[in-house]
Amino acid sequence: MTTHLDRLLFSQGGECFFCRKPLPKAEASVEHLVASANGGTSDDGNCVACCKALNHLLGSKSIKEKLQIVLNQRGDFQCPGSVGTQSTSVPSTNTQKTVLKPASEVGNGASAPIDLVLEDLKKRGASRPRKVSTLTSTIKALLKQHKKTNTDGEVSGLIDELQKRGKAMIIDTKVTYKLG
Ligand SMILES: [Zn+2]
């Protein structure tokens, strides 16, 4: 049997109307936009499926108050019950190539991967890797040593960053440095 909730969930693509997280039926409830107490109907036009916790919060507030709650979230809506539970279900957009943060944003600046690399290269003096392949394995080993992510993507990102900062110049397979 298809219930009202099933229908609403289906038309919302299985996501909460407000926070747009995947919404299992057990967590879902029907929210009357204009509350029944205020004369709202149970038509699909007045109902959405949303997280139970939010439905509870909205209760029988006026549609104006509800809009205010939604607008106060300024675009990134989080239903109250789902706060803190999302680390295990990170949307796929977050798993793309690691974005390198400037050292100032990392907090402990000295341990940012790019700073580790720069520090290591400076220490090496004249014995810096002269080939891209050697530089790649050097960075990889360094990251591993400091228990940092050392995927090929991370390493090539760091080499890009070295070039962007003007610390290294790569011609064909050869690397030259300007570490200052
Ligand atoms: Zn929700």
Side-chain angles (χ1 to χ4, degrees):
M1 187 188 107
T2 311
T3 64
H4 193 191
L5 183 58
D6 286 321
R7 263 205 330 275
L8 290 169
L9 270 177
F10 178 79
S11 63
Q12 291 168 209
E15 293 173 352
C16 168
F17 185 81
F18 294 97
C19 69
R20 316 194 82 162
K21 291 209 174 71
L23 186 56
K25 197 180 162 191
E27 315 265 309
S29 63
V30 177
E31 155 70 14
H32 290 69
L33 294 173
V34 177
S36 315
N38 301 334
T41 66
S42 294
D43 295 343
D44 282 5
N46 185 46
C47 291
V48 298
C50 74
C51 298
K52 271 183 185 162
L54 180 71
N55 193 0
H56 188 71
L57 176 89
L58 295 179
S60 54
K61 289 185 167 58
S62 72
I63 188 75
K64 180 175 167 182
E65 288 172 301
K66 289 178 185 177
L67 273 176
Q68 210 151 41
I69 290 172
V70 172
L71 290 171
N72 279 344
Q73 303 269 334
R74 298 186 197 283
D76 194 12
F77 198 94
Q78 294 261 4
C79 282
S82 55
V83 175
T85 60
Q86 59 170 354
S87 55
T88 47
S89 60
V90 181
S92 57
T93 48
N94 284 11
T95 59
Q96 285 166 0
K97 195 177 167 190
T98 313
V99 180
L100 292 165
K101 288 182 185 165
S104 55
E105 279 182 31
V106 181
N108 184 0
S111 67
I114 187 70
D115 291 330
L116 286 174
V117 173
L118 283 170
E119 205 181 304
D120 185 69
L121 288 172
K122 272 182 199 166
K123 257 189 262 166
R124 281 170 191 268
S127 64
R128 285 166 200 147
R130 300 191 182 279
K131 282 186 172 177
V132 178
S133 56
T134 333
L135 178 61
T136 304
S137 49
T138 304
I139 293 178
K140 215 172 173 127
L142 182 72
L143 292 177
K144 201 172 178 181
Q145 187 194 328
H146 288 269
K147 299 191 174 18
K148 304 267 182 198
T149 326
N150 59 351
T151 58
D152 290 346
E154 178 75 20
V155 173
S156 70
L158 286 167
I159 295 178
D160 286 348
E161 184 69 16
L162 283 176
Q163 288 175 271
K164 254 187 255 165
R165 295 189 181 193
K167 301 290 185 189
M169 208 168 73
I170 293 174
I171 297 163
D172 291 330
T173 58
K174 288 184 182 158
V175 194
T176 50
Y177 301 91
K178 264 192 194 165
L179 293 167

